[in-house]
Amino acid sequence: MHLATGTLDLSFVLLYLLPLFALAFSFDLVSREREDGTLRLVLVQATGLRGWALRRLAVRAGVLLGLCVLAGVAGHALTGGAGGLGRLVGWLALVVGYGAFWFALALAVNARALSSATNALVLVGAWLVLVVVVPAAVQLGVSGLYPVPSRVALVGATREASLEAQRRGSEVLSAYFQDHPELAPKGTQVEGYWPTALAVQDEAARATAPVVAAFQSQLERQQAALGVLRFLSPALAFQQALQDVAGTGGLRHAHFLLQVDRFHAAWRDALLPRVFSGDTLGAADHARLPRFTYVEQPGADVVHQVALGFLALALPTLLVLGLGLTWLGRPRLS
């Protein structure tokens, strides 16, 4: 998909551009009136600096995040409700939570009584660190800590195991019948193409099982480490939670692969006896063959992952919002 459309999709816009729009809306939330010399006049008519700043922030955040919510609802309706209402609600909560962090950060920076230009530089620097630097450093660190075996090495090991098994075709087939006596023919030994090919495939899978297991183990360790390190950056937490709620995350992929493995085992159990006995497959037999039906990931698993992502967004949001309100309680009007 990325080869056809590039990287400018909705997740890219939300992850990288939504913070920039939020900061552009709010970098001069308080500093503009302070620089113009109208802040004292505004506060005479307002109930206090905190309440006035929060109202201005709520209006600006409401406009931007309201547009995001409308876009999400419209997209959900245009796609016929794909994913269900629960995933839509989770997506909306994550988008609002992610945007709220950046608006809260802008409030905290404005509370330091800096100039508008300085506010912009500080906020853009924070965006660069939290959205670009920290996620990249975390990804590199996790990849270095739990390196995944090369896919090229995995393909090479599979090919070598297959070639070795093919060279020992008769020996591999005899060993296969010893492991599966229920498939052994009555009387003479079978040396057909398909029995030998299936035995070779089984031997190659057995030989490469340690490499595949190491590959999967390292992937699981990487996912576990990223799940913990998401709290270092709201952008990292948002990206992972967005993948989970969209159904493109690692957990749903592992859930799918587990069902594929089970279906493959059921398919082999249904067909192997016929292959080794040489029986033909009729229309009625074909109708009784296993059919793959994907069973969706349990909703509780999705809720759990999205809730963790939302928590990783809510904690820094509350922290910077609290700091901003505290600093606004000691205002500098000029």
Side-chain angles (χ1 to χ4, degrees):
M1 178 63 74
H2 283 312
L3 292 177
T5 63
T7 58
L8 187 60
D9 55 11
L10 183 58
S11 63
F12 176 89
V13 171
L14 292 174
L15 183 63
Y16 292 97
L17 301 186
L18 175 60
L20 293 177
F21 281 114
L23 299 181
F25 270 47
S26 54
F27 77 96
D28 59 350
L29 185 70
V30 178
S31 59
R32 181 62 62 193
E33 278 70 20
R34 183 182 292 111
E35 292 169 350
D36 293 341
T38 59
L39 185 57
R40 291 179 183 273
L41 179 61
V42 169
L43 293 181
V44 169
Q45 305 173 27
T47 57
L49 182 58
R50 287 176 179 171
W52 174 78
L54 282 176
R55 285 192 295 273
R56 284 171 63 86
L57 186 71
V59 170
R60 300 184 185 195
V63 171
L64 181 60
L65 298 182
L67 291 175
C68 293
V69 169
L70 289 177
V73 173
H76 183 74
L78 290 175
T79 56
L85 184 61
R87 290 187 182 271
L88 173 64
V89 172
W91 185 88
L92 294 176
L94 291 171
V95 171
V96 171
Y98 186 56
F101 167 78
W102 294 102
F103 278 107
L105 181 63
L107 176 68
V109 173
N110 271 269
R112 299 306 296 167
L114 305 173
S115 67
S116 296
T118 304
N119 287 348
L121 288 175
V122 171
L123 291 171
V124 169
W127 174 85
L128 184 64
V129 170
L130 295 176
V131 178
V132 179
V133 176
V134 172
V138 168
Q139 292 284 355
L140 289 174
V142 169
S143 299
L145 187 61
Y146 304 111
V148 175
S150 170
R151 292 183 181 271
V152 175
L154 177 60
V155 173
T158 303
R159 180 174 177 80
E160 290 179 5
S162 298
L163 292 175
E164 177 62 24
Q166 289 174 5
R167 283 193 291 266
R168 301 184 298 110
S170 298
E171 179 185 346
V172 169
L173 184 60
S174 298
Y176 186 83
F177 283 139
Q178 291 178 3
D179 294 337
H180 303 84
E182 73 280 1
L183 299 177
K186 309 300 181 183
T188 60
Q189 178 78 9
V190 175
E191 291 285 353
Y193 170 78
W194 286 113
T196 303
L198 290 172
V200 166
Q201 290 178 9
D202 190 77
E203 177 63 21
R206 182 183 305 177
T208 57
V211 180
V212 174
F215 187 89
Q216 188 62 35
S217 176
Q218 292 297 83
L219 281 180
E220 292 174 357
R221 291 178 179 178
Q222 285 187 1
Q223 293 296 324
L226 289 174
V228 174
L229 296 175
R230 76 174 82 186
F231 288 90
L232 294 178
S233 167
L236 192 59
F238 178 66
Q239 183 180 31
Q240 292 184 30
L242 205 62
Q243 290 174 348
D244 289 328
V245 78
T248 58
L251 289 178
R252 189 167 185 253
H253 184 240
H255 182 71
F256 167 75
L257 291 180
L258 179 61
Q259 295 184 53
V260 170
D261 290 340
R262 291 175 178 172
F263 172 74
H264 181 249
W267 185 265
R268 285 175 62 92
D269 291 342
L271 290 179
L272 283 183
R274 292 182 173 276
V275 171
F276 284 100
S277 64
D279 292 344
T280 57
L281 190 68
D285 298 321
H286 184 271
R288 289 193 295 268
L289 287 176
R291 296 289 190 273
F292 180 77
T293 303
Y294 176 68
V295 178
E296 188 56 75
Q297 187 181 10
D301 292 348
V302 179
V303 171
H304 176 71
Q305 292 300 316
V306 174
L308 281 178
F310 189 80
L311 177 64
L313 293 173
L315 290 178
T317 301
L318 294 176
L319 176 62
V320 296
L321 182 61
L323 289 174
L325 294 177
T326 301
W327 291 333
L328 285 175
R330 302 189 294 270
R332 289 172 52 190
L333 302 181
S334 60

